[in-house]
Amino acid sequence: MRVNDLYVYSVARDMLLDGNVPYRDWPFEYPPLALVPIGLAGGDAIALSLLMLGCALACQAAARALGGPASGWLMVALPPVAGALVRTHFDLLPAALTLIALVLLARGRPTAGLTALGLGTMTKLWPAAVTLIALAWLVGAGRIAEARRALLAFVAVVAVIGVPFVVAGGFPSEMVRFHLERPVQIESTPASVLELIGGSYVTGAPVRPDRFKSNGLDGGAAGAVALLFNLALVAATAWLVVLTARRAGSTAALLLGAFAVTLAFVALGKVLSPQYVCWLLPLAAVAWSHGARAGAALTAAASLVTQLWFPARYFDVVFQESWAISAVAVRNALLLAALAATARALARCPRPAAAPRRSG
């Protein structure tokens, strides 16, 4: 049995066509701009494939602009390395918006760059983490006025898109509640720790159906482990922000910081859906050309390992087959290693040149 999100998208599209308002009339777990690909394609596999093909080509063009021909050609490997995830989820859309934002930032257009990151954040939340890196990079380079204007642009985009749904009701409280209350997702790094500790049970259909539309681990030490990983994610993000600010003398610091913070979001968060590799692989192609080859290679390896169980053997994870649990743990270890390797490469970026002292 193959698993994907096409059915979830089709239900959401039908709700829209019936005149229902997301968040107010039905629980919607994504930010509002996710309604665009869902409204355009819904659960139509061909339509979504074509939409994601366009996003993949945009990622390739942006990767080439950021990392040269090598990064552009590495994007050719995206379909075989990511597998069916490329065409059955809309995650390449926020990935494309994020890479376009990085191109704009690298070319001296921070306001336009954070506008694109605002659009990405309102599609899926993770580009907000890249926004922190971008602001740190600008401030670290002494471009404080530009950082302020760019931040205002980001906030304006989020407000323009979000306020109508706030007025309609249910946003963002319903979305936030959904993500706070959902259990540790069964493929996440915290879940791998819980598998070692024991004492937790599997949630979600077909085992213990719930409202979260995924499988998780709950009970036992799940709450404590989730809290520890949340603290680790906050600490890692803060460290990467500081590191990027201190290395803001090069574009490489921006690009490696963006890749590293996305790795942290994926590897340390309590949810690690398989399609998250679509966020990582375009950034890995860019990072390859900027001194983070180990991090990029480890990320590609993690994506390939994911295909051992997803989508065809996903229920081996749900029903706790030992080989599948071990494969998930190996994949998560590879992502943690990729994070460490990329952070190390970021730490090796040159520091900004000291400003000359004024005499008199």
Side-chain angles (χ1 to χ4, degrees), residues 72-83:
W73 280 109
L74 282 173
M75 282 295 299
V76 175
L78 177 65
V81 173

Side-chain angles (χ1 to χ4, degrees), residues 97-121:
L97 289 168
T98 298
L99 258 70
I100 290 169
L102 292 173
V103 171
L104 292 167
L105 282 157
R107 293 182 175 178
R109 299 178 61 190
T111 300
L114 263 73
T115 298
L117 283 172
L119 295 173
T121 298

Side-chain angles (χ1 to χ4, degrees), residues 151-180:
L151 177 58
L152 288 174
F154 176 88
V155 171
V157 168
V158 171
V160 166
I161 296 171
V163 165
F165 294 92
V166 174
V167 173
F171 178 78
S173 58
E174 291 301 319
M175 183 185 71
V176 171
R177 185 179 299 113
F178 177 93
H179 290 289
L180 288 177

Side-chain angles (χ1 to χ4, degrees), residues 130-143:
V130 179
T131 300
L132 295 176
I133 294 294
L135 290 170
W137 183 71
L138 290 168
V139 171
R143 299 162 65 182

Side-chain angles (χ1 to χ4, degrees), residues 85-106:
L85 297 166
V86 171
R87 56 184 173 80
T88 58
H89 301 80
F90 66 83
D91 290 78
L92 277 178
L93 175 57
L97 289 168
T98 298
L99 258 70
I100 290 169
L102 292 173
V103 171
L104 292 167
L105 282 157

Side-chain angles (χ1 to χ4, degrees), residues 17 32 45 85 109 112 174 176 193 198 203 262 279 289-290 317 324-325 343 357:
L17 293 177
L85 297 166
R109 299 178 61 190
E174 291 301 319
V176 171
V193 173
T203 68
T262 306
W279 310 347
S289 300
H290 289 277
V317 180
I325 298 303
R357 292 183 179 181

Side-chain angles (χ1 to χ4, degrees), residues 132-254:
L132 295 176
I133 294 294
L135 290 170
W137 183 71
L138 290 168
V139 171
R143 299 162 65 182
I144 297 173
E146 290 179 90
R148 188 181 299 115
R149 289 193 295 270
L151 177 58
L152 288 174
F154 176 88
V155 171
V157 168
V158 171
V160 166
I161 296 171
V163 165
F165 294 92
V166 174
V167 173
F171 178 78
S173 58
E174 291 301 319
M175 183 185 71
V176 171
R177 185 179 299 113
F178 177 93
H179 290 289
L180 288 177
E181 293 179 357
R182 71 184 297 181
V184 169
Q185 195 258 349
I186 200 169
E187 297 163 273
S188 66
T189 308
S192 293
V193 173
L194 289 171
E195 297 285 4
L196 288 174
I197 295 173
S200 298
Y201 55 86
V202 178
T203 68
V207 184
R208 290 179 177 85
D210 59 26
R211 65 187 178 89
F212 298 106
K213 295 173 283 187
S214 66
N215 297 102
L217 291 179
D218 208 350
V225 169
L227 176 60
L228 289 174
F229 269 88
N230 283 336
L231 293 173
L233 175 57
V234 171
T237 301
W239 175 49
L240 292 169
V241 165
V242 172
L243 201 56
T244 301
R246 290 177 176 175
R247 298 294 190 276
S250 67
T251 302
L254 168 67

Side-chain angles (χ1 to χ4, degrees), residues 80-83 277 281 297-309 331:
V81 173
V277 300
L281 291 172
L298 287 164
T299 299
S303 183
L304 288 169
V305 171
T306 301
Q307 293 189 53
L308 292 177
W309 73 86
R331 190 276 306 276

